[in-house]
């Protein structure tokens, strides 16, 4: 209703574009810094295991899997060979294949963009695209690329900074870099304990790894612990306690 008591009509140009909704520059900057912090921490772990700077930068650019890098470094640092280290890395990174598959045909895109989506697909990017999908393909596309580009940039920048810090600071453990990534990993594990099936997977995998570590070569118990996800398929796929809303 106008000031003169008449009615006004909102044109399409006046209406907010739902595809423009998304994170603010501050949000994206915070995500970039968080990814950079984890990149620094993972790089310190990789270099501590004797990995060259070139391999670290290639891994963060083309593999883009912090858990994969840590799995690789853990096996190497514990005396395991290259084969089990690579298998462990590929195992924990296999989820990215499923994430990439879930993005198939979310929006119309040329081949090069579909390849980019598959390469950059991560949990937060896929979740953002799915959440924005009801607002249209443009909104889903925008949400996905906003998050993955910010997190990827932070990851690569942080990895580069980690190499520099590793050359300047002889003992990165003295400033606490060695606990940044494990702390984030513990956070993910704690979140998994909220569901019955994922709790079974975590518990079974941890028990298998701990029990078999004294008996098998380094890296092999980590691979066998993945069987916990198979056992978890028999558990109910629901939270431990049902949340009742008013």
């Amino acid at each position: 209703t106008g000031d003169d008591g008449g009615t006004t009509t909102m044109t399409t140009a006046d209406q907010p574009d739902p595809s423009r909704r998304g994170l603010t520059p501050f949000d994206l900057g915070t995500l970039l810094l968080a990814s950079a912090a984890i990149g620094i921490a993972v790089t310190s772990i990789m270099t501590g295991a004797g990995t060259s700077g070139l391999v670290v930068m290639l891994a963060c650019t083309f593999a883009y899997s912090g858990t994969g890098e840590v799995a690789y470094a853990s096996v190497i640092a514990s005396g395991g060979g290259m084969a089990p280290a690579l298998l462990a890395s590929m195992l924990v990174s296999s989820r990215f294949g499923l994430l990439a598959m879930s993005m198939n045909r979310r929006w119309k895109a040329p081949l090069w963009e579909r390849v980019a989506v598959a390469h950059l697909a991560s949990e937060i990017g896929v979740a953002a695209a799915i959440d924005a999908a009801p607002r249209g393909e443009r909104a889903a596309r925008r949400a996905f690329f906003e998050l993955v580009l910010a997190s990827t940039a932070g990851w690569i920048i942080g990895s580069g900074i980690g190499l520099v810090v590793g050359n300047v600071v002889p003992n990165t453990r003295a400033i606490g870099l060695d606990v940044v990534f494990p702390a984030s990993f513990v956070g993910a594990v704690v979140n998994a304990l909220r569901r019955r099936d994922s709790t079974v997977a975590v518990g079974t995998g941890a028990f298998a790894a701990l029990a078999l570590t004294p008996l098998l070569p380094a890296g092999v118990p980590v691979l066998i612990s993945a069987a916990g996800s198979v056992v978890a398929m028999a558990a109910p796929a629901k939270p431990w306690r049902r949340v009742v809303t008013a």
Side-chain angles (χ1 to χ4, degrees):
T1 305
D3 294 334
D4 57 356
T7 57
T8 58
T9 303
M10 179 177 287
T11 64
T12 303
D14 297 326
Q15 296 177 356
D17 183 357
S19 69
R20 301 297 296 178
R21 299 176 189 170
L23 298 178
T24 65
F26 178 80
D27 296 328
L28 295 175
T30 303
L31 175 61
L32 188 149
L33 292 176
S35 297
I38 296 178
I40 294 172
V42 171
T43 297
S44 70
I45 295 174
M46 291 285 283
T47 54
T51 309
S52 68
L54 176 61
V55 172
V56 169
M57 294 310 298
L58 289 175
C60 74
T61 303
F62 296 103
Y64 188 49
S65 172
T67 50
E69 291 186 42
V70 172
Y72 168 88
S74 299
V75 174
I76 295 297
S78 61
M82 182 63 69
L86 291 176
L87 284 175
S89 178
M90 292 174 64
L91 178 64
V92 299
S93 302
S94 60
R95 70 187 189 280
F96 291 107
L98 299 176
L99 291 171
M101 291 172 60
S102 70
M103 292 300 296
N104 186 35
R105 303 186 187 281
R106 289 283 175 184
W107 59 79
K108 295 180 180 179
L111 177 61
W112 68 266
E113 184 174 333
R114 295 201 301 271
V115 172
V117 169
H119 175 62
L120 296 173
S122 62
E123 290 90 343
I124 57 173
V126 172
I130 294 175
D131 180 66
R135 302 199 301 270
E137 292 185 354
R138 289 177 58 193
R141 181 177 184 270
R142 178 183 175 86
F144 175 82
F145 279 111
E146 278 185 341
L147 267 74
V148 298
L149 290 179
S151 59
T152 301
W155 178 253
I156 295 175
I157 293 171
S159 298
I161 294 175
L163 290 177
V164 175
V165 172
N167 292 328
V168 175
V169 182
N171 183 13
T172 54
R173 294 184 178 182
I175 59 176
L177 285 181
D178 57 313
V179 301
V180 174
F181 187 84
S184 65
F185 184 75
V186 169
V189 171
V190 170
N191 186 59
L193 296 178
R194 297 176 180 177
R195 295 179 56 85
R196 299 187 182 188
D197 50 349
S198 54
T199 298
V200 172
V202 170
T204 305
F207 176 80
L210 292 174
L212 297 176
T213 294
L215 306 176
L216 299 176
V220 177
V222 176
L223 300 177
I224 296 178
S225 67
S229 59
V230 178
V231 178
M233 295 175 65
K238 58 183 179 180
W240 283 105
R241 184 169 51 188
R242 180 174 297 178
V243 177
V244 179
T245 56

